[in-house]
Amino acid sequence: MGMKTVAAGYEFAHRDDYEGRRVLPSVKVDADSRNIEELQVVADETRYMPRRGPDELVQLQAGGVEISGYQGMMPEMEEGTLVIDDIYHFEMERLLEIYKPDIFCAGVKEKYAVQKAGIPCKQLHSYDYGGPYAGFRGAINFYNEIDRMVNTKIWSYARAPWEAEEELEQEAIAS
């Protein structure tokens, strides 16, 4: 898309979300350092219908397709990109103030504060008046929405309520 990511993170992440599945063997499962739940997942024999058979999976893996691995977010990020786990409001405001991003992608709790700062916010926790985003067609939908949001002129006219109050105070003092 030609976008530069300046920061990324999760809200409820575990080490493997950031560092990838390769860290799982080194994670201690005890009361003090537990940060990844142990889950036992069993396929429902009547409802689970795999899309690929075991032979197809072996062929895909032999062809270089990684089936159950995840490299994590951090290996994919450029040098100097910030990783912020469970961002809170003050951090978000400072991020917006310092980096002045063209768009901010987050959840519903950040959405309205970001928009009041005059920056379009794409809510990633739901379709938020858009989507669907699955598959190739979904990627095109997502790209079109980001393009529309970044290139909409309305954000240059947006003023946060606290900026409008300041203007009113200045008018009252000048009168």
Side-chain angles (χ1 to χ4, degrees), residues 55-67:
D55 293 338
E56 287 179 283
L57 293 176
V58 168
Q59 284 180 327
L60 288 169
Q61 285 178 312
V65 175
E66 193 167 340
I67 301 297

Side-chain angles (χ1 to χ4, degrees), residues 102-103 120-122 144-152 155:
D102 295 322
I103 192 164
C121 182
K122 179 66 183 152
N144 286 332
E145 288 180 30
I146 295 296
D147 180 58
R148 176 185 50 82
M149 292 175 86
V150 169
N151 292 305
T152 298
W155 297 107

Side-chain angles (χ1 to χ4, degrees), residues 120-132:
C121 182
K122 179 66 183 152
Q123 184 183 335
L124 297 177
H125 294 222
S126 71
Y127 286 146
D128 193 30
Y129 314 114

